[in-house]
């Protein structure tokens, strides 16, 4: 099925656009997905960093609050301790002044320790340097040694208490203890101070559970603020941040998480999600891709980023379904595909329009080339006139050279102009070749007719020459016999008279034969003259054929040049032009052979005419001699008896006549050979003429396939 070049170019461009679009969409899909994943990862990491920064600031704020609260509380404890020790000093001064005994002073001090309260039911106690309880609000402890005693968390606080209680400056320590009248252990700060006057260790404790409760409240407030802040942060569509601690306890759950969120299993590893996130967070790897099963039983691919916050032992992590990252990419690629498809349709239509507009002249020229290859130059001309825009054709053919024009022409314009020029040249060339072929055919027919006539004339000449040769031989034999007879007649007069009478009769016959020979030689002469004239005409015809072959050769050369200009579209005609040139060359060679043969024939015919003219003159002379001889013999017959002495003269004349007859016989033999040669030459010339006619017929057959514009 034929497809136009415009359609093929449009298909090719469409395929290129489709391939480039597919590659672009694939590249966009791959690159965009990668970029969005990276962007999502950066967003998640930055969001987690912001959460960590907020946690750090909150932790710092809580720590500052605790530190400030503890510092204030410790300062108050120190102030209370100063007041208590100052009272002990007053009891010691009373002892020193003798107002109170040592025992009374110490009992008063013990009582003061047991009954004194400050702040939140806080109290003082007195230990010996060996950690023996001397006075304590809890009377059950009086008299006990607390060296190996433990707090409610199992901390053995005795050694540290002894160290601080014997130190000049004293110091603070923290234990977990049960408040008086309560059963719940709470944190407590113990301040120990030595009372060296009686080798005591004075201590006081202040419960800081209120501080811890306040700190805890601030922590809860921090967590609530984190929940509110994380609820406002979105990663993709449903992605959220969440916080869990090292015990896999959810601190801040993501929005929509169920109560079993902490028990979520990573289907890729078979372990809990928090376990895998802890490993990633501890190792600082940030990202974890995992698969979980939703409540409806469907599996979902997700991606998390996690970071460990060591001050609190918390993990801040994100969770985003991967489909929410892929869906925007797929949506964008789909939209891009729709846009690309619309652009492809529009581009294909636009390209097809312009390519068809550009390639339409090429398509028309290809039709012209097809008709030229079929030899239909007339239809090729009609394609130029009917299918190519006349204004366009007039514009590109109005210049001898495109370089001389101010207009811009492309390769298609060159091709159309070249085909138009080639078609006109080819039409003119084929017309001339056809006309020349007709002329050569007519000349060949005439030449064949003339050669036929010449061949008949030569055959007649050969027959006449053979007859004349036979007659000449007979004359020669008769003359020889007559001479012999005249020799014998010299001695026998009577016999001579009889023989003279017989000779007179023979002379009459010879006279008739000489007359016939003269007429035959005249006919031969006239036939040779006609042959000479025809040979001259043949020479002119040969000259015409030579000129025609030169013209054909020149035209075929021009056609080959035009076909070469047309490029591959003129290859078919270039082959025809070469064949025409070969035929022209063969015609020229045949013409040269004919010319050579005609020249040889002219030479032979001219020689034959000359010899025949000479022979004719000799025959005339012989006839005259025969007439004279007839008169002489008549006289001899009348006067033979009286003119016997003259027989010698007659005998001598007969000898001469015999020699002349012999010469005539030789000339006739030569003329017969010349006639045979002429006949052979005519046969060869006839063969060459047949070859010429065959070549002309072949040339006409080759050219006949072309239908030129001026044909009906």
């Amino acid at each position: 099925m034929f497809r136009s070049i415009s359609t093929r170019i449009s298909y090719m461009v469409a395929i290129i656009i489709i391939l480039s679009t597919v590659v672009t969409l694939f590249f966009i899909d791959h690159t965009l997905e990668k970029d969005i994943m990276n962007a999502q990862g950066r967003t998640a990491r930055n969001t987690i960093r912001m959460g960590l920064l907020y946690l750090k600031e909150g932790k710092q704020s809580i720590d500052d609050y605790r530190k400030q609260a503890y510092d204030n509380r410790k300062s108050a404890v120190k102030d209370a301790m100063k007041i208590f020790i100052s009272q002990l000093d007053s009891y010691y001064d009373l002892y020193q002044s003798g107002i109170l005994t040592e025992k009374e002073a110490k009992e008063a001090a013990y009582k003061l320790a047991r009954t004194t309260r400050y702040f939140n039911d806080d109290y003082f106690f007195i230990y010996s340097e060996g950690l023996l309880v001397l006075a304590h609000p809890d009377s059950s402890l009086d008299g006990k040694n607390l060296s190996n005693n433990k707090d409610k968390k199992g901390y053995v606080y005795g050694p540290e208490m002894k160290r601080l209680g014997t130190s000049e400056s004293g110091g603070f320590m923290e234990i977990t203890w049960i408040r008086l009248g309560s059963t719940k252990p709470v944190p407590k700060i113990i301040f120990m101070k030595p009372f060296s006057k009686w080798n005591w260790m004075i201590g006081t404790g202040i419960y800081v559970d209120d501080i811890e409760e306040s700190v805890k409240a601030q922590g809860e407030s921090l967590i609530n603020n984190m929940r509110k802040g994380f609820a406002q942060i979105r990663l993709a569509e449903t992605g959220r941040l969440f916080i869990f601690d090292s015990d896999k306890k959810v601190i801040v759950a993501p929005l929509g998480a169920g109560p079993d969120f902490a028990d979520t299993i990573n289907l890729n590893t078979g372990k809990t999600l928090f376990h895998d996130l802890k490993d990633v967070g501890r190792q600082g790897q940030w990202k974890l891709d995992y698969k979980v099963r939703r409540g409806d039983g469907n599996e979902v691919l997700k991606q998390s980023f996690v970071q460990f916050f060591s001050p609190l032992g918390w993990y801040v992590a994100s969770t985003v379904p991967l489909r929410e990252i892929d869906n925007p990419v797929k949506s964008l690629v789909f939209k891009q595909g729709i846009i690309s498809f619309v652009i492809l349709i529009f581009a294909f239509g636009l390209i097809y329009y312009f390519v068809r507009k550009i390639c339409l002249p090429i398509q028309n020229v290809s039709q012209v080339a097809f008709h030229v290859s079929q030899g239909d130059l007339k239809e090729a001309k009609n394609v130029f006139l009917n299918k190519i825009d006349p204004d366009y054709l007039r514009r590109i053919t109005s210049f001898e050279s495109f370089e001389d024009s101010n207009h811009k022409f492309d390769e298609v314009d060159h091709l159309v102009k070249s085909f138009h020029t080639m078609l006109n040249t080819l039409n003119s060339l084929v017309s001339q070749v056809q006309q020349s072929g007709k002329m050569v055919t007519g000349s060949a027919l005439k030449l064949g007719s003339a050669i036929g006539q010449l061949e008949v004339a030569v055959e007649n000449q050969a027959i006449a020459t053979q007859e004349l040769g036979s007659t000449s031989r007979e004359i020669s034999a008769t003359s020889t016999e007559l001479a012999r007879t005249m020799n014998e007649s010299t001695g026998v007069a009577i016999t001579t008279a009889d023989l003279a009478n017989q000779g007179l009769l023979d002379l009459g016959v010879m006279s008739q034969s000489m007359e016939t020979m003269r007429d035959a030689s005249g006919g031969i002469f006239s036939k040779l003259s006609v042959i000479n004239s025809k040979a001259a005409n043949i020479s002119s015809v040969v000259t015409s054929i030579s000129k025609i072959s030169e013209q054909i050769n020149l035209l075929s050369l021009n056609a080959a040049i035009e076909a070469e200009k047309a490029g591959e579209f003129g290859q078919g005609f270039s082959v025809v032009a070469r064949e025409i040139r070969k035929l022209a060359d063969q015609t020229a060679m045949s013409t040269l052979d004919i010319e050579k043969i005609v020249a040889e024939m002219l030479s032979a015919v001219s020689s034959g005419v000359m010899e025949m003219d000479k022979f004719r003159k000799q025959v005339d002379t012989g006839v005259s001699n025969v007439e004279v001889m007839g008169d002489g013999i008549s006289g001899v017959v009348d006067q033979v008896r009286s003119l016997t002495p003259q027989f010698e003269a007659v005998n001598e004349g007969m000898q001469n006549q015999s020699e002349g007859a012999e010469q005539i016989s030789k000339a006739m033999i030569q003329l017969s050979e010349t006639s045979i040669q002429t006949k052979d030459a005519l046969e060869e010339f006839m063969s060459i003429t047949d070859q010429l006619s065959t070549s002309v017929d072949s040339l006409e057959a080759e050219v006949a396939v072309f239908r030129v514009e001026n044909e009906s």
Side-chain angles (χ1 to χ4, degrees):
M1 179 179 179
F2 177 77
R3 292 190 302 171
S4 62
I5 189 172
S6 60
T7 304
R8 290 199 297 269
I9 293 176
S10 301
Y11 284 165
M12 180 177 64
V13 174
I15 290 172
I16 292 174
I17 294 176
I18 291 173
L19 290 178
S20 62
T21 302
V22 171
V23 172
T24 302
L25 291 177
F26 177 77
F27 178 77
I28 289 175
D29 185 21
H30 179 72
T31 305
L32 192 59
E33 182 178 3
K34 183 178 179 181
D35 291 342
I36 290 181
M37 291 288 288
N38 293 334
Q40 179 64 35
R42 287 193 297 270
T43 302
R45 288 193 294 270
N46 292 334
T47 305
I48 290 174
R49 289 190 182 101
M50 291 177 61
L52 291 174
L53 181 61
Y54 186 78
L55 279 177
K56 184 178 181 181
E57 291 177 352
K59 176 67 168 54
Q60 186 65 41
S61 177
I62 293 173
D63 290 344
D64 291 343
Y65 172 78
R66 176 189 280 113
K67 184 176 182 302
Q68 185 65 34
Y70 271 82
D71 289 345
N72 292 336
R73 191 67 57 89
K74 287 178 180 179
S75 178
V77 169
K78 285 182 179 181
D79 292 339
M81 180 65 76
K82 287 179 181 180
I83 295 173
F84 184 76
I85 289 179
S86 66
Q87 290 179 350
L88 293 180
D89 286 338
S90 65
Y91 288 133
Y92 184 78
D93 291 341
L94 291 174
Y95 160 66
Q96 289 292 330
S97 64
I99 297 175
L100 295 175
T101 63
E102 182 179 8
K103 183 178 178 180
E104 292 176 339
K106 288 182 178 180
E107 286 295 334
Y110 293 156
K111 184 178 180 179
L112 179 66
R114 294 187 183 101
T115 59
T116 301
R117 300 288 185 276
Y118 66 97
F119 294 145
N120 190 14
D121 199 23
D122 296 320
Y123 56 88
F124 294 95
F125 55 87
I126 300 173
Y127 292 166
S128 68
E129 291 183 349
L131 288 180
L132 184 65
V133 178
L134 300 178
H136 195 280
D138 186 0
S139 58
S140 62
L141 296 177
D142 290 343
K144 289 185 177 182
N145 191 322
L146 302 180
S147 298
N148 297 319
N149 205 22
K150 299 178 181 179
D151 69 353
K152 298 306 177 181
K153 287 187 176 181
Y155 173 59
V156 179
Y157 55 84
E160 180 66 15
M161 186 177 288
K162 183 177 181 179
R163 185 184 68 79
L164 295 175
T166 57
S167 175
E168 182 66 25
S169 58
F172 289 92
M173 62 176 296
E174 296 181 4
I175 63 172
T176 301
W177 204 255
I178 298 176
R179 188 189 297 270
L180 292 176
S182 175
T183 59
K184 181 180 179 181
V186 292
K188 184 177 183 179
I189 297 176
I190 302 295
F191 181 66
M192 300 299 296
K193 185 75 176 178
F195 189 73
S196 58
K197 294 177 180 181
W198 281 327
N199 294 322
W200 288 352
M201 295 186 300
I202 309 300
T204 183
I206 183 170
Y207 292 96
V208 293
D209 54 335
D210 59 335
I211 296 176
E212 294 299 328
E213 288 294 332
S214 179
V215 170
K216 184 178 180 181
Q218 289 192 10
E220 292 294 335
S221 176
L222 175 64
I223 292 174
N224 289 332
N225 291 334
M226 294 288 288
R227 289 193 181 101
K228 293 178 182 179
F230 285 2
Q232 300 299 320
I233 297 174
R234 289 190 178 185
L235 301 174
E237 295 182 7
T238 61
R240 293 292 188 271
L241 296 179
F242 63 95
I243 301 175
F244 64 95
D245 60 13
S246 298
D247 295 330
K248 301 180 184 179
K249 179 182 178 181
V250 180
I251 307 299
V252 178
L255 188 64
D260 56 347
F261 177 66
D263 298 326
T264 302
I265 301 298
N266 180 4
L267 299 179
N268 291 334
T269 61
K271 300 177 182 178
T272 62
L273 175 62
F274 284 3
H275 178 277
D276 294 336
L277 288 175
K278 282 179 62 178
D279 291 341
V280 173
R282 287 287 187 179
Q283 296 172 6
Q285 296 178 356
W286 277 101
K287 187 174 74 170
L288 173 68
D289 292 332
Y290 61 96
K291 184 192 299 182
V292 297
R293 193 183 305 279
R294 296 190 309 189
D296 56 4
N298 294 325
E299 296 181 355
V300 181
L301 294 175
K302 289 189 176 184
Q303 184 181 81
S304 287
F305 288 84
V306 62
Q307 192 67 18
F308 179 61
F309 185 66
S310 57
L312 294 176
W314 290 359
Y315 296 86
V316 181
S318 67
T319 176
V320 179
L322 288 177
R323 60 179 178 80
E324 295 182 1
I325 302 176
D326 296 336
N327 287 343
V329 176
K330 294 179 180 178
S331 177
L332 181 61
V333 171
F334 177 75
K335 293 177 182 178
Q336 182 67 31
I338 296 298
I339 295 172
S340 300
F341 179 75
V342 174
I343 293 174
L344 173 64
I345 296 299
F346 177 75
F348 181 77
L350 194 64
I351 290 170
Y352 182 77
Y353 171 75
F354 284 107
V355 169
R356 179 175 175 80
K357 187 175 181 181
I358 293 172
C359 295
L360 186 59
I362 298 178
Q363 184 177 355
N364 294 330
V365 168
S366 68
Q367 293 182 6
V368 171
F370 173 75
H371 290 302
V372 170
S373 67
Q374 298 296 320
D376 197 348
L377 301 182
K378 183 178 180 180
E379 185 62 27
K381 188 71 173 181
N382 290 334
V383 171
F384 261 105
L385 296 178
N386 297 328
K387 291 192 176 182
I388 297 180
D389 186 7
D391 295 333
Y392 169 74
L393 188 61
R394 190 181 308 109
R395 180 169 59 88
I396 65 172
T397 57
S398 59
F399 301 100
E400 291 295 332
S401 173
F402 287 146
E403 287 75 9
D404 299 334
S405 171
N406 294 325
H407 298 280
K408 293 183 178 179
F409 296 96
D410 55 17
E411 293 82 357
V412 177
D413 298 332
H414 281 272
L415 179 62
V416 174
K417 177 177 173 60
S418 299
F419 259 86
H420 185 266
T421 303
M422 182 190 73
L423 189 60
N424 290 334
T425 304
L426 186 60
N427 190 80
S428 175
L429 173 63
V430 172
S431 297
Q432 292 180 8
V433 170
Q434 288 178 346
Q435 292 176 3
S436 299
K438 291 178 181 179
M439 293 175 60
V440 171
T441 301
S443 299
L445 292 175
K446 292 179 181 180
L447 182 61
S449 178
I451 291 173
Q453 294 177 2
L454 181 61
E455 186 177 8
V456 172
V458 170
E459 289 179 355
N460 293 332
Q461 178 187 359
I463 294 171
T465 302
Q466 290 177 358
E467 292 177 354
L468 186 59
S470 176
T471 304
S472 298
R473 285 192 296 273
E474 291 178 358
I475 292 172
S476 177
T478 304
S479 298
T480 303
E481 182 65 25
L482 182 59
R484 187 179 61 81
T485 302
M486 287 302 294
N487 288 326
E488 293 177 355
S489 297
T490 303
V492 184
I494 298 172
T495 304
T496 300
D498 294 334
L499 290 174
N501 290 327
Q502 185 64 36
L504 183 60
L505 295 174
D506 293 334
L507 188 61
V509 174
M510 185 179 70
S511 177
Q512 292 178 358
S513 297
M514 292 298 289
E515 288 292 336
T516 301
M517 185 173 65
R518 182 176 63 183
D519 295 336
S521 63
I524 292 171
F525 180 79
S526 62
K527 297 268 179 159
L528 289 176
S529 298
V530 172
I531 291 172
N532 192 20
S533 176
K534 295 294 183 179
N537 291 333
I538 291 172
S539 179
S540 63
V541 171
V542 169
T543 303
S544 299
I545 293 172
S546 178
K547 292 181 179 179
I548 289 171
S549 64
E550 291 178 356
Q551 184 67 21
I552 291 173
N553 199 354
L554 180 60
L555 291 175
S556 64
L557 179 60
N558 291 332
I561 293 173
E562 291 299 327
E564 187 68 20
K565 290 180 180 178
E568 62 177 336
F569 297 98
Q571 289 182 358
F573 187 74
S574 178
V575 174
V576 175
R578 285 197 297 269
E579 292 298 326
I580 292 174
R581 188 161 64 248
K582 289 180 180 179
L583 290 175
D585 293 336
Q586 291 178 2
T587 303
M589 293 176 63
S590 299
T591 303
L592 292 175
D593 294 335
I594 292 171
E595 187 176 5
K596 181 177 179 182
I597 293 170
V598 169
E600 293 176 356
M601 185 181 71
L602 283 173
S603 176
V605 170
S606 297
S607 176
V609 170
M610 291 175 63
E611 292 294 331
M612 185 52 76
D613 184 59
K614 182 178 179 181
F615 174 72
R616 185 174 57 83
K617 290 179 180 180
Q618 291 178 354
V619 169
D620 290 338
T621 302
V623 170
S624 298
N625 292 332
V626 168
E627 290 177 353
V628 172
M629 185 179 63
D631 293 337
I633 291 175
S634 297
V636 169
V637 172
D638 294 334
Q639 300 177 6
V640 67
R641 296 185 184 277
S642 59
L643 297 175
T644 301
Q646 296 181 359
F647 277 112
E648 293 179 0
V650 174
N651 185 31
E652 185 179 357
M654 291 304 297
Q655 290 292 338
N656 293 330
Q657 185 66 35
S658 177
E659 293 177 0
E662 186 177 357
Q663 291 178 357
I664 291 172
S665 178
K666 292 180 179 179
M668 291 308 296
I669 292 172
Q670 185 176 3
L671 180 59
S672 178
E673 293 176 353
T674 302
S675 297
I676 293 172
Q677 292 178 357
T678 302
K679 184 178 180 181
D680 294 338
L682 286 174
E683 290 177 354
E684 185 176 359
F685 186 70
M686 191 66 182
S687 176
I688 293 172
T689 304
D690 292 337
Q691 293 179 1
L692 175 62
S693 179
T694 302
S695 299
V696 171
D697 291 339
S698 177
L699 176 61
E700 286 183 345
E702 292 289 341
V703 177
V705 298
F706 293 97
R707 291 179 58 196
V708 297
E709 186 179 3
N710 56 2
E711 287 184 350
S712 57

